[in-house]
Amino acid sequence: TNGRMEGEGREALEARINAAVDAAWDDELQMLHEICAIDSGLGKETAVQDFMERKFQALNLSKIDRFEVKLEDIEKAQGYSPLVENYRAGRDCIVAIHTPKGPAQGKSLILNGHVDVVPTGPPDLWTSPPFTPVVKDGRLYARGSGDMKAGVVAYYSAFKALQALGYNPASQVYLQSVIEEECTGNGALACCVRGYGKADACIIPEPFAESITTAQLGVMWFRITVRGKPAHVLDTSAGVNGIEAAFYLFTGLKSVEEAWNSEEERSAHPQFAQFAHPINFNLGVIEGGEWPSSVPTDCSVDVRIGFFPGKDMNAIRKEIEDKVAELAAARKINYSLKWNGFQAEGAAIDPKNEALQRLGAAHERTTGQPAKYGPVTCTTDARFFMLYHGVPSTCYGPHAERIHGLDESVGLDSVKRVTKTLAVFIADWCGLEKI
């Protein structure tokens, strides 16, 4: 039942699994090239999901559920984030479901990955175009290569390697390809709402250099819109400069950022002790002004804030709102504040959890290196499965560089190691049955 029916030891089976990944490496690399050549930025996810649907069909699984993300399905669900882009046909998620032939022998598993990517920045600043994948010195360069198309390719190829040996997992496995991880997480949320949020473990191959994630920060986005007072530059004192006012409000929030990074706060969250400054506020977008010789009236700024797990989101919002109100009152600034995009709670898991330990053991047997466990100072879709469905969840994926930056890349040797580790973990966690 477990794939070792012939009396084959675990070592021999895992050697065959590793060899199967090696044998199919050209196919895996080809898939990575193809998926990275697809621009799947926000609102442009149809083509990449068409690609993933074709790939899932090749696995001959029990069911493939491709569904449109709909606001009415998710807006009342725990973990929902206000939309940043309207939902419409073609903005889909896909869940490919493997159900074993007989009674489940092992534990069930969710393998989740997002196929949306962040904007590229100015393409002319890239060494080669962001959606023209290029391999150089053992790394594949493209937007989304690390974050996280290589991770999706790795979990897919791990499943396929087991099939090449004549096996399927001996328990339920959900392969999820989701949208909007980079701005709301509502794609993963939609999977959960549709009934795909429960399993004995969840692994998301985010590009955290083959470490096993034990904690992630909360993240929220908000927009401050300032309504200034227009005037000619010959008398700037007659106006209120909306751009300067918006920047003053953001700068004033830095005192909150520093308070949240205080020694006291950090010592209360020891899992983040390795970071000198884990909590970061980022002024990410600014829009304002219409004429060089006019004092600008309106200005809006989009801000990202981080915060520790366990913090109450309403209390966080109130602290930010109160601080902005105090700053605005001091200079009589007319403004509004709206929470949009990520409203993501922080999450943490005990590194001693059985799923994480068995993944770590699979990593060690595959790579010969002890597994590293640790936190990340961003958010991932793992929070939905951990917080709202009680599923032991972690991220474990390849080594990437410059994610969200210029010339993003992923290490190909690392992708191969992650694929082997995931295949070995699936065999161990789920058990195996003959196809």
Side-chain angles (χ1 to χ4, degrees):
T1 332
N2 60 5
R4 302 195 289 274
M5 290 177 283
E6 310 80 16
E8 176 185 41
R10 180 167 74 185
E11 209 171 309
L13 172 67
E14 293 182 352
R16 288 203 294 137
I17 290 172
N18 285 331
V21 172
D22 284 332
W25 176 245
D26 286 351
D27 291 342
E28 183 169 358
L29 191 53
Q30 178 65 27
M31 180 178 175
L32 184 57
H33 267 272
E34 288 176 15
I35 195 171
C36 288
I38 302 169
D39 177 351
S40 51
L42 182 65
K44 296 184 284 189
E45 306 94 347
T46 308
V48 75
Q49 292 294 46
D50 289 345
F51 175 83
M52 286 307 301
E53 187 175 22
R54 286 195 300 277
K55 288 291 179 185
F56 286 143
Q57 282 164 349
L59 298 177
N60 294 314
L61 303 181
S62 343
K63 181 181 175 189
I64 297 174
D65 185 12
R66 178 171 178 168
F67 58 93
E68 190 182 326
V69 177
K70 291 190 171 160
L71 184 61
E72 61 267 27
D73 295 341
I74 59 173
E75 62 184 335
K76 298 284 189 289
Q78 206 173 3
Y80 168 73
S81 290
L83 55 80
V84 290
E85 174 87 10
N86 287 328
Y87 297 116
R88 55 184 178 273
R91 302 202 62 217
D92 305 336
C93 288
I94 308 175
V95 181
I97 302 142
H98 162 72
T99 304
K101 287 185 294 192
Q105 302 294 325
K107 294 175 182 285
S108 58
L109 179 63
I110 293 166
L111 292 163
N112 169 289
H114 70 86
V115 287
D116 57 307
V117 301
V118 296
T120 61
D124 58 298
L125 293 180
W126 284 65
T127 306
S128 52
F131 297 105
T132 304
V134 170
V135 173
K136 187 182 174 197
D137 300 329
R139 305 190 70 78
L140 185 141
Y141 290 81
R143 168 56 85 233
S145 56
D147 189 8
M148 63 164 282
K149 288 174 174 177
V152 172
V153 171
Y155 85 55
Y156 177 87
S157 302
F159 199 99
K160 212 160 165 46
L162 297 174
Q163 289 191 333
L165 296 174
Y167 298 118
N168 268 326
S171 47
Q172 195 104 18
V173 178
Y174 300 93
L175 306 174
Q176 303 182 352
S177 176
V178 304
I179 65 169
E180 281 209 7
E181 188 275 344
E182 296 287 10
C183 56
T184 61
N186 288 342
L189 176 62
C191 291
C192 293
V193 166
R194 207 167 168 90
Y196 305 126
K198 200 80 186 119
D200 295 317
C202 170
I203 298 176
I204 303 180
E206 288 276 12
F208 300 139
E210 299 174 48
S211 68
I212 295 170
T213 306
T214 53
Q216 58 185 49
L217 292 179
V219 169
M220 287 199 266
W221 287 3
F222 59 88
R223 172 174 290 179
I224 299 173
T225 303
V226 170
R227 169 78 21 124
K229 188 177 166 192
H232 191 285
V233 288
L234 61 84
D235 184 11
T236 52
S237 62
V240 174
N241 187 312
I243 294 174
E244 289 178 5
F247 190 68
Y248 153 78
L249 294 178
F250 172 74
T251 310
L253 285 173
K254 287 290 187 178
S255 63
V256 179
E257 180 185 354
E258 292 321 306
W260 291 0
N261 278 297
S262 68
E263 193 63 49
E264 187 184 351
E265 279 289 327
R266 288 204 327 263
S267 59
H269 298 88
Q271 67 267 57
F272 290 91
Q274 68 201 71
F275 300 105
H277 196 279
I279 303 297
N280 291 296
F281 289 11
N282 183 57
L283 175 57
V285 180
I286 181 164
E287 291 173 8
E290 54 186 2
W291 195 252
S293 295
S294 297
V295 175
T297 310
D298 291 351
C299 180
S300 65
V301 290
D302 288 298
V303 179
R304 174 266 194 205
I305 60 169
F307 53 94
F308 286 119
K311 295 277 189 189
D312 177 73
M313 294 215 293
N314 287 325
I316 291 282
R317 289 188 194 105
K318 184 172 182 340
E319 189 171 345
I320 294 293
E321 286 166 3
D322 288 353
K323 183 64 180 177
V324 173
E326 174 198 318
L327 291 161
R331 292 202 184 172
K332 297 187 171 59
I333 294 168
N334 181 11
Y335 76 96
S336 62
L337 190 156
K338 184 180 178 191
W339 300 90
N340 60 356
F342 278 127
Q343 304 297 306
E345 287 185 80
I349 186 170
D350 186 344
K352 295 187 179 67
N353 178 280
E354 185 194 359
L356 273 64
Q357 285 299 312
R358 281 169 71 176
L359 177 59
H363 170 88
E364 188 159 346
R365 292 197 304 275
T366 303
T367 66
Q369 301 294 317
K372 294 192 189 77
Y373 294 83
V376 290
T377 57
C378 58
T379 185
T380 77
D381 282 339
R383 69 184 181 276
F384 294 103
F385 305 99
M386 292 164 84
L387 295 173
Y388 313 128
H389 298 276
V391 179
S393 306
T394 190
C395 295
Y396 171 83
H399 179 276
E401 288 177 359
R402 302 197 189 100
I403 63 171
H404 291 225
L406 303 169
D407 289 344
E408 175 182 353
S409 71
V410 68
L412 295 175
D413 286 349
S414 182
V415 176
K416 189 189 278 192
R417 282 194 299 274
V418 166
T419 304
K420 288 176 176 177
T421 298
L422 290 176
V424 163
F425 175 78
I426 295 166
D428 174 63
W429 184 255
C430 303
L432 296 175
E433 65 178 19
K434 289 278 190 187
I435 289 178

